[in-house]
Amino acid sequence: FLSVVSSFLYLFQLVNNWPRALIFIWDESVQRKRLRVLKFCTFQTLYRLSEVSVIVSRPPFDENRFANSLDGIREVYGKVLVSICDDPLVEGDYNVTWTASLYSHTVKEWTTIDCNTSFIAPHQGEYTVSARIDKAGSSALGSTSIVVRDIWIAAVGDSFASGEGNPDIERGLNTSAEWISQACHRSRKSWPYRVFETVREQSPMASIHFSYLACTGATVERGVMGPKGRSQIDVLREITRQRGLGPDVLMLSVGGNDVGYAEILERLQQGETESILTFLDWRFYYVSTQLTALKEALQELGPPQVLVPLYFDFSRNERGEIDASCADMHNIRTADIAMAERRVLTRLNSLILTMGREAGWTVEERVPSLFRRGGICSKHRLIRSISDSISIQGDPLGAFHPTEIAHTQIANLLISRLRPL
């Protein structure tokens, strides 16, 4: 009887308290959910506080740095600068583990005790760069991305490409003229440098490397392609092997020294017209063989575009007439200058144009027309006179070369022919 009564009372208590049990179960469930949400929010807050600000960039432009050797370009080609120095978490003792990944593949991982570092990207493309700070048993992580793009431009050739007659800083009363290269009279006022500047301005997200190798007095045989191992082309070959690609743009000016234009003018000043005519055919045969060798060398380098301006005409006055009446001509007869213009300059430009078309070069044919009223005897000269040269650079080497204004005009013609990079 007692057992029956106990069972009845237990059942009655259970039925009477079941709503409280449900309330308790519901309350426990809500509390746990609230706890999970609180923990999640706290984790998110801690995660945000632990993010590191990673800043990446390419090396800043340095106007005094040229890629005129393999070491000169290897130091900066593909280089990425990385920093977390501005992050407030960077204080005290810490280690930083850096990781650089290209398309989700890790290409480099390294550790430093400094807040900035750098690495050389082995390939072009978009890199993800991350940094993890480890200090006093805690860690913080951050990452960012950067597109690594390098453009290589080169200029080879003679005084027309070096900018002879236009030093960076002109000669003063007690100071000498200043050039990029004193030995080669390379100038920042030249048409190749103007083209380089334009490419750099039009490609702000890329690093532009400029191999400026043109040199006053250079010929194909002595300077451009020789002597072996020390020529302008040898420098380009060495960089091409390391890069795996030739220059994206190659600027070229050769032929004037090869044909002996300065010697021809000197002979004309001495009245030796007949002696010039006897060796012209041989000279042009020589120039043709030199240009052919150069064409084959450039084909091996494989630049996508070769820019070649035709040579300028210094013989015409403001009326567009051939004129030899000014003092700089040193009593050369007008008929002899007309002969030189026809038998030397026009023939040389025709040879360059033919060779360039065969090689697929971009030959700018409009250059001579820029000077049709701006020769050395013109009232509106675009050519340096002997007195100009001595005054500006302290020697006569700049005479019979284009002025700074002319170089800008030539550069504008070539810029209009640039293909997309």
Side-chain angles (χ1 to χ4, degrees):
F1 175 78
L2 290 175
S3 62
V4 172
V5 172
S6 297
S7 299
F8 174 77
L9 290 174
Y10 174 78
L11 180 62
F12 176 80
Q13 188 178 6
L14 182 64
V15 172
N16 190 50
N17 290 311
W18 74 266
R20 294 181 183 178
L22 288 176
I23 291 172
F24 174 79
I25 293 170
W26 179 83
D27 185 61
E28 283 293 303
S29 176
V30 169
Q31 292 299 327
R32 287 175 182 173
K33 286 182 179 178
R34 286 178 178 171
L35 184 59
R36 283 198 298 269
V37 170
L38 179 61
K39 288 181 177 178
F40 178 75
C41 291
T42 303
F43 173 77
Q44 288 285 66
T45 303
L46 291 173
Y47 180 76
R48 283 197 294 271
L49 289 174
S50 299
E51 285 185 345
V52 181
S53 175
V54 182
I55 299 173
V56 290
S57 62
R58 300 302 305 277
F61 172 66
D62 182 353
E63 67 172 10
N64 295 313
R65 179 187 290 276
F66 293 88
N68 288 357
S69 67
L70 179 58
D71 289 340
I73 193 171
R74 189 158 46 189
E75 293 174 359
V76 292
Y77 193 90
K79 188 173 187 178
V80 178
L81 308 179
V82 193
S83 174
I84 57 171
C85 295
D86 293 336
D87 196 287
L89 293 173
V90 179
E91 58 181 13
D93 296 328
Y94 58 86
N95 290 326
V96 186
T97 300
W98 312 86
T99 305
S101 302
L102 177 63
Y103 306 124
S104 301
H105 295 284
T106 299
V107 296
K108 184 175 183 180
E109 184 173 289
W110 69 108
T111 302
T112 70
I113 58 173
D114 300 314
C115 61
N116 55 55
T117 185
S118 66
F119 72 96
I120 300 295
H123 307 286
Q124 304 284 285
E126 184 173 3
Y127 284 78
T128 299
V129 183
S130 62
R132 189 186 75 238
I133 301 178
D134 296 308
K135 52 186 292 187
S138 62
S139 296
L141 180 67
S143 66
T144 189
S145 63
I146 184 172
V147 175
V148 175
R149 183 175 179 233
D150 293 83
I151 296 173
W152 177 30
I153 296 174
V156 299
D158 53 25
S159 58
F160 183 24
S162 74
E164 180 66 86
N166 302 280
D168 292 357
I169 300 176
E170 296 182 4
R171 174 194 183 198
L173 289 176
N174 299 307
T175 58
S176 300
E178 294 183 20
W179 307 80
I180 294 172
S181 165
Q182 191 70 34
C184 287
H185 283 194
R186 294 188 196 116
S187 170
R188 290 181 175 85
K189 298 175 182 177
S190 67
W191 59 263
Y193 197 88
R194 301 287 195 204
V195 173
F196 156 68
E197 282 187 316
T198 298
V199 173
R200 186 171 61 82
E201 291 167 2
Q202 292 178 352
S203 308
M205 303 306 292
S207 287
I208 316 298
H209 311 279
F210 187 26
S211 296
Y212 196 10
L213 302 167
C215 192
T216 287
T219 64
V220 173
E221 190 174 21
R222 293 183 175 274
V224 179
M225 291 187 63
K228 187 176 181 180
R230 294 185 289 123
S231 71
Q232 298 171 25
I233 293 297
D234 284 327
V235 173
L236 300 187
R237 283 191 181 117
E238 196 172 21
I239 296 174
T240 297
R241 281 194 294 267
Q242 177 73 21
R243 183 178 186 245
L245 295 169
D248 296 293
V249 178
L250 175 62
M251 294 174 278
L252 170 68
S253 170
V254 290
N257 292 330
D258 302 85
V259 81
Y261 208 75
E263 180 187 347
I264 289 171
L265 282 179
E266 185 178 347
R267 292 199 181 195
L268 289 177
Q269 290 168 359
Q270 297 170 359
E272 300 178 8
T273 307
E274 293 300 322
S275 65
I276 294 172
L277 296 175
T278 57
F279 70 76
L280 269 184
D281 286 342
W282 178 86
R283 279 291 177 93
F284 273 101
Y285 172 77
Y286 170 74
V287 173
S288 179
T289 60
Q290 295 298 294
L291 289 178
T292 298
L294 180 59
K295 179 182 71 173
E296 292 171 354
L298 296 187
Q299 285 173 342
E300 293 177 6
L301 295 176
Q305 186 172 27
V306 179
L307 291 174
V308 185
L310 294 183
Y311 279 97
F312 51 92
D313 179 6
F314 61 78
S315 68
R316 299 180 183 274
N317 60 23
E318 68 278 4
R319 297 183 299 277
E321 301 167 346
I322 292 178
D323 190 346
S325 64
C326 58
D328 291 280
M329 289 295 193
H330 288 288
N331 299 317
I332 300 176
R333 295 185 307 157
T334 298
D336 289 341
I337 283 293
M339 182 274 298
E341 190 270 341
R342 184 179 67 257
R343 301 283 296 273
V344 182
L345 178 64
T346 300
R347 188 175 175 182
L348 176 60
N349 279 341
S350 178
L351 178 60
I352 293 171
L353 181 59
T354 300
M355 192 72 67
R357 285 174 174 169
E358 291 175 358
W361 301 343
T362 302
V363 181
E364 181 48 65
E365 303 176 53
R366 295 172 290 177
V367 171
S369 64
L370 292 177
F371 298 83
R372 63 182 179 273
R373 297 181 184 274
I376 198 164
C377 293
S378 172
K379 293 179 181 177
H380 312 295
R381 281 187 293 109
L382 291 173
I383 299 292
R384 293 287 186 212
S385 66
I386 296 174
S387 60
D388 285 342
S389 181
I390 293 173
S391 173
I392 290 171
Q393 62 186 60
D395 60 48
L397 295 177
F400 294 92
H401 286 85
T403 63
E404 179 182 354
I405 292 174
H407 273 276
T408 300
Q409 293 176 350
I410 294 166
N412 289 339
L413 292 178
L414 292 166
I415 290 166
S416 70
R417 305 288 300 280
L418 271 174
R419 298 170 190 162
L421 294 172

Short mmCIF file of all heavy atoms in Angstrom, two decimals, residues 1 19 35 95 100 112 118 126 133-134 158 195 215 217 225 277 281 288 299 302 324 355 369 373 375 382 404:
data_model
loop_
_atom_site.label_atom_id
_atom_site.label_comp_id
_atom_site.label_asym_id
_atom_site.label_seq_id
_atom_site.Cartn_x
_atom_site.Cartn_y
_atom_site.Cartn_z
N PHE A 1 0.83 -1.21 0.00
CA PHE A 1 0.00 0.00 0.00
C PHE A 1 0.86 1.27 0.00
O PHE A 1 0.62 2.21 -0.74
CB PHE A 1 -0.94 -0.03 1.21
CG PHE A 1 -1.76 1.23 1.37
CD1 PHE A 1 -2.88 1.45 0.57
CD2 PHE A 1 -1.40 2.20 2.32
CE1 PHE A 1 -3.60 2.62 0.74
CE2 PHE A 1 -2.15 3.34 2.46
CZ PHE A 1 -3.27 3.55 1.68
N PRO A 19 6.00 22.56 -16.24
CA PRO A 19 6.22 23.87 -16.90
C PRO A 19 7.50 24.54 -16.42
O PRO A 19 8.20 25.18 -17.19
CB PRO A 19 4.97 24.67 -16.50
CG PRO A 19 3.95 23.63 -16.19
CD PRO A 19 4.72 22.52 -15.55
N LEU A 35 26.16 33.25 -24.55
CA LEU A 35 27.57 33.07 -24.26
C LEU A 35 28.37 32.84 -25.53
O LEU A 35 29.46 33.40 -25.71
CB LEU A 35 27.75 31.89 -23.30
CG LEU A 35 29.19 31.61 -22.82
CD1 LEU A 35 29.75 32.85 -22.11
CD2 LEU A 35 29.24 30.39 -21.93
N ASN A 95 59.76 39.46 -33.42
CA ASN A 95 60.23 38.87 -34.67
C ASN A 95 59.12 39.00 -35.70
O ASN A 95 57.93 38.96 -35.35
CB ASN A 95 60.57 37.38 -34.49
CG ASN A 95 61.81 37.18 -33.65
OD1 ASN A 95 62.73 37.97 -33.70
ND2 ASN A 95 61.81 36.11 -32.86
N ALA A 100 55.87 35.88 -49.13
CA ALA A 100 55.49 36.42 -50.44
C ALA A 100 54.95 35.27 -51.29
O ALA A 100 55.62 34.25 -51.46
CB ALA A 100 56.69 37.06 -51.13
N THR A 112 62.75 38.36 -39.85
CA THR A 112 63.65 39.45 -39.49
C THR A 112 63.28 39.96 -38.09
O THR A 112 62.23 39.62 -37.55
CB THR A 112 63.56 40.63 -40.47
OG1 THR A 112 62.28 41.29 -40.31
CG2 THR A 112 63.71 40.17 -41.91
N SER A 118 62.75 43.69 -47.76
CA SER A 118 62.52 43.71 -49.21
C SER A 118 62.75 42.31 -49.75
O SER A 118 63.37 41.46 -49.10
CB SER A 118 63.44 44.71 -49.91
OG SER A 118 64.80 44.30 -49.80
N GLU A 126 50.96 39.42 -59.74
CA GLU A 126 50.39 39.97 -58.51
C GLU A 126 50.79 39.11 -57.31
O GLU A 126 50.47 37.92 -57.26
CB GLU A 126 48.87 40.06 -58.60
CG GLU A 126 48.24 40.73 -57.37
CD GLU A 126 46.76 40.97 -57.52
OE1 GLU A 126 46.18 40.57 -58.56
OE2 GLU A 126 46.17 41.58 -56.61
N ILE A 133 53.73 39.20 -36.70
CA ILE A 133 54.57 39.64 -35.59
C ILE A 133 54.40 38.67 -34.43
O ILE A 133 53.27 38.38 -34.02
CB ILE A 133 54.16 41.06 -35.12
CG1 ILE A 133 54.29 42.07 -36.26
CG2 ILE A 133 55.05 41.50 -33.96
CD1 ILE A 133 53.86 43.46 -35.88
N ASP A 134 55.51 38.19 -33.91
CA ASP A 134 55.49 37.34 -32.72
C ASP A 134 56.23 38.06 -31.62
O ASP A 134 57.41 38.41 -31.76
CB ASP A 134 56.17 36.00 -33.03
CG ASP A 134 55.42 35.19 -34.07
OD1 ASP A 134 54.21 35.00 -33.89
OD2 ASP A 134 56.05 34.80 -35.08
N ASP A 158 75.12 56.65 -81.33
CA ASP A 158 76.15 57.68 -81.42
C ASP A 158 75.74 58.98 -80.74
O ASP A 158 74.85 59.00 -79.89
CB ASP A 158 76.49 57.92 -82.90
CG ASP A 158 75.24 58.23 -83.74
OD1 ASP A 158 74.23 58.70 -83.16
OD2 ASP A 158 75.26 57.98 -84.96
N VAL A 195 61.91 60.28 -74.34
CA VAL A 195 61.04 59.13 -74.56
C VAL A 195 60.94 58.30 -73.28
O VAL A 195 59.85 57.89 -72.86
CB VAL A 195 61.54 58.26 -75.73
CG1 VAL A 195 60.73 56.97 -75.84
CG2 VAL A 195 61.47 59.04 -77.05
N CYS A 215 76.78 56.86 -77.07
CA CYS A 215 78.03 57.56 -76.73
C CYS A 215 78.53 58.35 -77.93
O CYS A 215 78.56 57.84 -79.07
CB CYS A 215 79.07 56.54 -76.30
SG CYS A 215 80.54 57.25 -75.54
N GLY A 217 80.74 59.70 -80.68
CA GLY A 217 81.86 59.10 -81.42
C GLY A 217 81.69 57.63 -81.73
O GLY A 217 82.52 57.04 -82.44
N MET A 225 78.84 47.61 -81.24
CA MET A 225 79.00 46.15 -81.24
C MET A 225 80.42 45.69 -80.90
O MET A 225 80.67 44.49 -80.80
CB MET A 225 78.60 45.57 -82.61
CG MET A 225 77.11 45.66 -82.88
SD MET A 225 76.63 44.78 -84.40
CE MET A 225 77.07 43.09 -83.99
N LEU A 277 84.22 61.84 -103.37
CA LEU A 277 83.44 61.03 -104.31
C LEU A 277 84.09 59.68 -104.60
O LEU A 277 83.41 58.70 -104.86
CB LEU A 277 83.25 61.80 -105.61
CG LEU A 277 82.42 63.10 -105.49
CD1 LEU A 277 82.40 63.85 -106.82
CD2 LEU A 277 81.01 62.80 -105.01
N ASP A 281 81.32 55.20 -102.38
CA ASP A 281 80.72 53.89 -102.63
C ASP A 281 81.28 52.84 -101.67
O ASP A 281 80.54 51.99 -101.14
CB ASP A 281 80.95 53.45 -104.07
CG ASP A 281 80.08 54.22 -105.05
OD1 ASP A 281 79.09 54.82 -104.59
OD2 ASP A 281 80.41 54.24 -106.24
N SER A 288 76.64 49.44 -94.96
CA SER A 288 75.61 48.43 -95.20
C SER A 288 75.93 47.12 -94.48
O SER A 288 75.06 46.50 -93.86
CB SER A 288 75.47 48.18 -96.70
OG SER A 288 74.51 47.18 -96.95
N GLN A 299 68.07 41.05 -83.69
CA GLN A 299 67.11 39.96 -83.83
C GLN A 299 67.30 38.91 -82.74
O GLN A 299 66.34 38.31 -82.26
CB GLN A 299 67.24 39.33 -85.22
CG GLN A 299 66.65 40.18 -86.34
CD GLN A 299 66.93 39.63 -87.73
OE1 GLN A 299 67.84 38.81 -87.90
NE2 GLN A 299 66.18 40.08 -88.71
N GLY A 302 65.70 40.32 -79.63
CA GLY A 302 64.25 40.23 -79.76
C GLY A 302 63.44 41.33 -79.11
O GLY A 302 62.40 41.03 -78.50
N ALA A 324 75.28 77.79 -97.40
CA ALA A 324 76.60 77.59 -96.79
C ALA A 324 77.29 78.93 -96.54
O ALA A 324 78.51 79.01 -96.48
CB ALA A 324 77.47 76.72 -97.69
N MET A 355 66.90 49.17 -94.48
CA MET A 355 67.32 48.16 -93.51
C MET A 355 66.29 48.04 -92.39
O MET A 355 65.97 46.93 -91.94
CB MET A 355 68.68 48.54 -92.93
CG MET A 355 69.35 47.43 -92.14
SD MET A 355 69.98 46.09 -93.19
CE MET A 355 71.30 46.93 -94.07
N SER A 369 62.46 66.61 -92.00
CA SER A 369 61.57 67.74 -92.31
C SER A 369 61.49 68.73 -91.15
O SER A 369 61.14 69.91 -91.36
CB SER A 369 60.18 67.22 -92.67
OG SER A 369 59.58 66.57 -91.56
N ARG A 373 63.77 74.28 -92.33
CA ARG A 373 64.01 75.73 -92.25
C ARG A 373 64.84 76.07 -91.02
O ARG A 373 64.84 77.22 -90.57
CB ARG A 373 62.68 76.49 -92.21
CG ARG A 373 61.83 76.31 -93.46
CD ARG A 373 60.53 77.10 -93.38
NE ARG A 373 59.69 76.82 -94.54
CZ ARG A 373 59.78 77.46 -95.70
NH1 ARG A 373 60.70 78.42 -95.86
NH2 ARG A 373 58.99 77.16 -96.71
N GLY A 375 68.35 74.89 -90.36
CA GLY A 375 69.75 74.47 -90.46
C GLY A 375 70.70 75.41 -89.75
O GLY A 375 70.29 76.41 -89.14
N LEU A 382 67.92 75.20 -85.49
CA LEU A 382 67.69 74.06 -84.61
C LEU A 382 68.97 73.22 -84.50
O LEU A 382 68.94 72.09 -84.04
CB LEU A 382 66.55 73.18 -85.14
CG LEU A 382 65.14 73.80 -85.07
CD1 LEU A 382 64.13 72.92 -85.78
CD2 LEU A 382 64.73 74.05 -83.63
N GLU A 404 68.35 71.59 -77.93
CA GLU A 404 67.42 70.97 -76.98
C GLU A 404 65.99 71.00 -77.52
O GLU A 404 65.25 70.01 -77.38
CB GLU A 404 67.48 71.70 -75.64
CG GLU A 404 66.53 71.14 -74.60
CD GLU A 404 66.57 71.91 -73.29
OE1 GLU A 404 67.43 72.82 -73.15
OE2 GLU A 404 65.74 71.61 -72.42
#
